[in-house]
Amino acid sequence: LVTGCSGFIGHNLTKKLLINGYKVIGLDNLNSYYDPVLKKARLEDIKSFITENNISQENFQFFKKDICRRPDVKGIFSKFKIEKVCHLAAQAGVRYSITNPETYVDSNIHGTINILEACKDYQISDFIFASTSSVYGLSQDMPFSEDTSIDSTISTYSATKRCCELIVQAFQFVHY
């Protein structure tokens, strides 16, 4: 499962997985923060990529679903034998997060918890979570590394992504 499959990273990851023989379930809500026309073009590009590389059409299935809706997430997990999850879906944008914090809490935190709960319910331990360099906030340590302090987040976006890092870590220890 690739959440956020029509985003820049998700689109490219999906093609890489397909060319390497994986079957991919793509999930994206196609929200309007970034132009939905661009997201739909990326989905069309995936379809063209499949055809051009003689990949079975059955190897990619896309669902326009919102990870904030737990029944939608559970439905995907119950319908398919998902073995691995790459969770890229998130509400992006630092500036927008300052004026619309609820959107970020819903999508980034609640959505991530919905994905993690489904992983727990379906015993999926192969889970990748994409965070953001924004969690480094005002840090002047360049280049950033895993040892760089992350105690200066400056937006709701970065705070929710940091929160998700901690939630993913907690799920690792508590639920697996």
Side-chain angles (χ1 to χ4, degrees), residues 32-167:
S32 61
Y33 183 79
Y34 291 117
D35 187 354
V37 172
L38 174 60
K39 294 177 182 183
K40 290 175 184 173
R42 288 180 179 145
L43 292 172
E44 287 302 316
D45 181 63
I46 291 170
K47 291 178 186 175
S48 296
F49 179 82
I50 288 168
T51 301
E52 293 165 7
N53 289 282
N54 296 318
I55 297 169
S56 171
Q57 298 289 330
E58 295 176 2
N59 283 11
F60 178 68
Q61 293 185 56
F62 171 74
F63 295 90
K64 183 178 186 255
K65 301 284 185 185
D66 191 335
I67 61 170
C68 295
R69 292 189 30 80
R70 185 168 288 184
D72 288 352
V73 172
K74 295 281 187 168
I76 294 293
F77 277 81
S78 69
K79 185 174 182 177
F80 299 97
K81 188 179 183 320
I82 295 171
E83 297 174 2
K84 303 172 190 308
V85 174
C86 186
H87 179 41
L88 306 175
Q91 178 61 53
V94 172
R95 287 189 184 116
Y96 186 72
S97 78
I98 295 167
T99 57
N100 299 281
E102 301 87 4
T103 302
Y104 290 78
V105 171
D106 287 343
S107 182
N108 299 354
I109 297 175
H110 293 144
T112 296
I113 289 171
N114 288 341
I115 296 293
L116 287 167
E117 285 288 340
C119 287
K120 178 185 73 171
D121 292 346
Y122 289 87
Q123 300 175 333
I124 297 165
S125 60
D126 199 345
F127 181 88
I128 297 171
F129 172 71
S131 190
T132 176
S133 62
S134 292
V135 300
Y136 295 109
L138 299 173
S139 176
Q140 298 297 312
D141 296 340
M142 296 290 175
F144 298 139
S145 75
E146 291 178 358
D147 298 323
T148 301
S149 174
I150 51 176
D151 59 1
S152 63
T153 57
I154 59 170
S155 70
T156 304
Y157 170 65
S158 59
T160 60
K161 292 298 277 187
R162 178 62 181 134
C163 180
C164 288
E165 290 176 356
L166 296 170
I167 291 168

